[in-house]
Structures are given as structure tokens and as C-alpha cells.
Amino acid sequence: MIRALFAHSILVAALLLGVAKAQAQEMVQTFGAKSADEVMVLRSTTDIAVFAPVVETFLKSRPGLQVRYEQWGSNELYRLSRRDCREATGIADVVISSGVHQMVQLVNEACAAAYVSRLTAQLPEALRWRDELWGITREPAVIVYNRDLVPAADVPQSRFDLLDLLRPSDTPYARRVATYDIEQSGLGYLFAFADAQEASTFGALQESFGRSLAVATCCSADIIRGVAEGRYLIAYNVLGSYAQGYQREDERIGIVLPSDYTLVLARALMIPRAAPNRSAAEQFLDFLLSADGTLALRNALLISPLLETEEGNEGEALSTTALRPVGLSPALMVALDALTRETFLRRWRATFPGP
């Protein structure tokens, strides 16, 4: 319980300080003894403050290892990882990203090292691909709203409800709905692309966003904080792990798992082919898949309690049949096809033309 509360406090501190706002820039923190004989370089899109307790738990039984944690935006991490792959530059030992379509592409380009263990073999097929990519978290894409400013009758339990809120020409939610800017956020692009394939409501929802002057912005931290402060009333497709961490320190945040369907993300881990410290990377992967690692991820809310119980879902009970896991497979590479991506972004720009 103490560890869980500590993890929640760190998470909220990161959100309040806007850590994720610096996604375009590298942020670095070192964990472990300075006198350690080994260094493992971990590059990730996950906020350092969120993942720190997980890394610290891993290092408790490894006094001879130091972890250099680099936080990157998903698009920047993808470009950097591809460059390292092409140049066979051995810098990162572990890469973890929420842009799982980008990670599948990296594996397809032979950028990853293969690894098999008892723990990796136990993962469902949807959470491992080619024994070179593994899903380590379980996080829903949720609707976030301001409890103080959104009447209970207006809280959208589904995309259809959100459409109804935005449909009137005099809707009070004009300019007050936010979502990810999919050009800046690889995760945002992935969620939007998955919506387009999953739902008949996507076109109508996108049109409603444009008509009601919805806001597209870069980061989970900015979006969730904006809802708490009342700059936005509702946010769409926000990662539930970050939203729940904020909610536990700020009662103004409400969370809904959409009842029509809820996308579920598993952040993907890859060991680069040229990783200098492959042994430490393999140990870290096995730790994350172990009972101790799973507990650490749960405490950090990266394995979301929202998916395990109905507690926290303030709307109608969500059927497990409404969950739509984003599986690790070659199908995700369609989202990165140059023509497909440009066509999709062109439509997005028409919806959110900017200032």
C-alpha cells in the first residue's frame, strides 16, 4: 500500500509539473549506484516519474547495475531508434514505447534482438511478436471529464453520447473538448487510426470535433490538467493510467471507459539488435513479466485497475466484450504506410486547422 501511494504521488507530481510537455526533448535520470559496474540505457515514452518506482524495484536486487533512463516523445523515439538501427549504433539496451505501431515497424525492419524465456513464452500471442516485441502494460483509452462542471446527465458513456453533446449549434461544449494532436503524438495517431478502423462513429465524431472547435494538443499531462482546471470540460482518448493517477489526487477528474468499445494499449518493449548490454535488457524484460514486476506496474497504474474491476468506471458497467486490445501484429504497419498516413493526416488537419 505504501509503495502504491508513493507511485501515485510521483505520477501526479509529474502531471502537475507538466513533465510530459517536453516530449520533443530528451529528459534523463540515472538510477542505481554511481559505482555500478554495468549501465543499462532505457529509452521510453513513459514519464520518468511514472516509471521510476518500477526501475527502482528492479534494481533492488542488482546493486552492480545502473539504469540511464531517457524519456522521449513517441515520434522522436521512433526516428532515433530507426537511425540507430540503420547505423548499427549500439546505444539503447531497451526501448519502450506507447507508439506500438512504430515498434512493430522497427521489428519488421530487423532492428530488434530475439529473446525467449519461460516468462516471455507465457505471454498471449497478442502481446508478443516474433519473440522480438513484447507488450508489458495494459492501459485503456478513456473519456475524462470535469466532475464539477459537467452535469451528471451530460457525462458521455459512449461515443454516441459524445456526439449528442456536440451536435447542437449552441452546445456549451464548443471549444471545451480536447484530444491528442495526432501529428505530435504517435499514441494519439494510433488511437485515432484504430478508431477509424473500429467504429462507424469515427467520421461523425471527427466532423463534430471540427464543428465544435475541439482542441488538439500534445500531451496527456496538458490535457488532464486542462480538464481539472476547467479549460476543457471533456477529453477524448486519454490514457486511463495517467488519468487515474491524477484523479487520486484531484477529485475534479472523472473517468469513463466508453461502453461502445474501449481501446486497450500494451506499451511495447524491444531490445535493439545492437544493444551493448543485452543481458541486463533480458533480465529487465523478465522482471517486468514476473510477479514482482507485474506488481510494480500495477502500483504505477500501468496495468490499470480500471480493467480489472468496475470500480472507477462511473458510467454503465463495461462488458469485457467491449474491450478492444491493440494487439502486436503486422496489421499495425498499415498505419505507417506513407500514403495512408498522409491521407489520414490531411483529413485531420481539416478538422483541426490550427490557429
Side-chain angles (χ1 to χ4, degrees):
M1 178 61 71
I2 293 175
R3 176 174 292 278
L5 290 173
F6 177 68
H8 298 155
S9 297
I10 285 182
L11 171 58
V12 173
L15 289 166
L16 289 172
L17 292 172
V19 169
K21 266 195 161 183
Q23 284 193 4
Q25 303 173 4
E26 176 189 359
M27 300 182 67
V28 179
Q29 186 168 337
T30 300
F31 299 89
K34 293 181 180 179
S35 59
D37 298 326
E38 291 183 275
V39 176
M40 185 185 81
V41 177
L42 168 58
R43 288 179 175 163
S44 176
T45 59
T46 311
D47 290 0
I48 291 176
V50 174
F51 214 75
V54 179
V55 174
E56 289 167 346
T57 303
F58 169 67
L59 289 175
K60 279 184 177 180
S61 59
R62 295 166 178 83
L65 180 64
Q66 185 181 96
V67 173
R68 172 187 166 89
Y69 191 112
E70 299 179 4
Q71 179 186 328
W72 292 85
S74 51
N75 290 342
E76 290 73 25
L77 181 58
Y78 175 56
R79 286 190 283 266
L80 179 62
S81 299
R82 291 190 84 193
R83 185 201 69 189
D84 286 352
C85 178
R86 289 193 302 267
E87 299 177 0
T89 305
I91 297 177
D93 299 298
V94 176
V95 176
I96 300 174
S97 179
S98 55
V100 297
H101 57 310
Q102 298 167 332
M103 297 290 275
V104 169
Q105 181 65 34
L106 288 170
V107 170
N108 190 62
E109 294 176 1
C111 296
Y115 176 63
V116 178
S117 71
R118 176 182 59 83
L119 290 166
T120 64
Q122 290 174 356
L123 277 176
E125 287 189 9
L127 295 181
R128 58 185 168 95
W129 187 48
R130 288 188 179 177
D131 293 319
E132 296 176 359
L133 191 67
W134 303 272
I136 60 168
T137 69
R138 189 162 162 78
E139 305 165 68
V142 303
I143 296 172
V144 174
Y145 65 96
N146 185 300
R147 283 173 165 166
D148 293 342
L149 301 177
V150 177
D154 282 1
V155 175
Q157 305 299 330
S158 69
R159 290 164 183 80
F160 300 101
D161 292 344
L162 184 55
L163 277 169
D164 288 342
L165 286 184
L166 299 179
R167 186 170 288 117
S169 58
D170 60 346
T171 175
Y173 297 95
R175 302 179 186 271
R176 308 295 292 281
V177 174
T179 190
Y180 292 114
D181 183 335
I182 69 171
E183 292 198 78
Q184 295 187 52
S185 168
L187 172 64
Y189 178 84
L190 175 64
F191 280 164
F193 194 84
D195 272 344
Q197 294 184 311
E198 182 70 41
S200 59
T201 53
F202 180 75
L205 190 58
Q206 192 170 10
E207 189 274 333
S208 293
F209 282 160
R211 190 179 62 252
S212 63
L213 302 176
V215 177
T217 189
C218 73
C219 317
S220 298
D222 182 65
I223 293 173
I224 299 169
R225 186 173 55 250
V227 172
E229 294 173 352
R231 285 185 285 121
Y232 316 126
L233 298 178
I234 295 172
Y236 175 72
N237 261 0
V238 177
L239 267 181
S241 51
Y242 286 0
Q244 192 177 20
Y246 203 112
Q247 182 192 57
R248 292 191 175 181
E249 298 292 330
D250 193 327
E251 294 183 352
R252 295 175 295 181
I253 290 295
I255 301 172
V256 172
L257 278 68
S259 60
D260 48 334
Y261 70 89
T262 294
L263 296 172
V264 181
L265 173 81
R267 293 175 197 253
L269 183 150
M270 177 187 83
I271 301 173
R273 188 182 56 200
N277 197 344
R278 188 178 298 185
S279 175
E282 292 168 352
Q283 291 176 38
F284 185 61
L285 172 59
D286 278 339
F287 162 75
L288 293 175
L289 301 180
S290 71
D292 288 343
T294 298
L295 177 60
L297 290 169
R298 289 182 195 277
N299 288 339
L301 300 177
L302 294 171
I303 295 179
S304 175
L306 294 174
L307 298 172
E308 298 170 355
T309 69
E310 295 301 334
E311 181 182 356
N313 182 16
E314 298 172 7
E316 301 171 1
L318 183 73
S319 167
T320 55
T321 60
L323 299 180
R324 300 290 188 275
V326 180
L328 304 180
S329 77
L332 289 176
M333 291 189 293
V334 174
L336 287 175
D337 173 77
L339 180 59
T340 301
R341 178 177 168 82
E342 181 53 37
T343 301
F344 196 79
L345 289 178
R346 189 182 306 120
R347 185 175 178 183
W348 179 264
R349 295 184 194 112
T351 303
F352 298 96

